Each structure stands twice: as structure tokens, then as C-alpha cells.
Amino acid sequence: QLPMRVVPLTAFEAHGRIPRSSDGLARKHAKGDVVVFVSHRWWGPGTPDVLYEGADGREVGGVKYGLIRRGLDAVIRREGLDRLKVCVWMDFAC
């Protein structure tokens, strides 16, 4: 039996993009962790998020990451969770 692995919210936020398991952010689930499960579909093979050129010509990325962050913030507010106890489980990140 393998332990569940999670990414602490603080690490997820500091990383600034959808993490991969090879990024080394995941750790074993610990007593007291509040785990939020995130299910998403990749945008393409090997591409969990997208990059595109903005109207000003600059490359913009992290579209899905931003959506997930806003969703996590909404759950934390609605449920009154302690941000320091929140961890994220997301396939490929853990």
C-alpha cells in the first residue's frame, strides 16, 4: 500500500504553474491535512496548461493554473479552511 501524496497549498501557489511529479513538490499526506482533490483534463499530450500570445504580443501562460487557483480560493473561503492546512491532490503532480 502506497501513501497518498499531496502538494501543500503554499508550495502549489509559490510554484506558479501546474506542477508535475518531477517538480518534487509532493509529500506524504499527514494527519491534519485538509486535502482538496482537483480533477482536470490536459490541453494536449504533455501539456497540462496552455501558452498563447496576448493582445500586446507577450506570451501568456498559466490559464488553467489561474482557474484552479481561483477555484481553490473559493473552496477555502466557502468552507472556512485554514490555508496552512490545505493540500492539493492532482494527478501527475502527486
Side-chain angles (χ1 to χ4, degrees):
Q1 183 176 351
L2 296 174
M4 182 168 77
R5 297 184 57 79
V6 296
V7 176
L9 179 65
T10 53
F12 185 83
E13 291 174 331
H15 194 59
R17 61 182 173 84
I18 294 175
R20 297 174 179 266
S21 57
S22 59
D23 292 331
L25 301 180
R27 62 160 171 78
K28 289 180 184 178
H29 173 265
K31 185 176 181 175
D33 285 346
V34 177
V35 181
V36 178
F37 290 81
V38 175
S39 178
H40 71 102
R41 184 177 177 127
W42 283 36
W43 299 63
T47 310
D49 212 336
V50 296
L51 293 174
Y52 65 93
E53 189 174 296
D56 60 2
R58 292 185 307 160
E59 191 174 79
V60 178
V63 174
K64 188 185 293 186
Y65 173 79
L67 292 170
I68 293 169
R69 283 279 311 269
R70 288 191 294 280
L72 290 168
D73 287 342
V75 169
I76 290 166
R77 270 192 317 277
R78 186 184 71 215
E79 301 299 322
L81 302 175
D82 179 349
R83 296 183 75 80
L84 297 177
K85 293 182 179 179
V86 173
C87 293
V88 179
W89 183 94
M90 176 184 288
D91 83 343
F92 205 66
C94 300

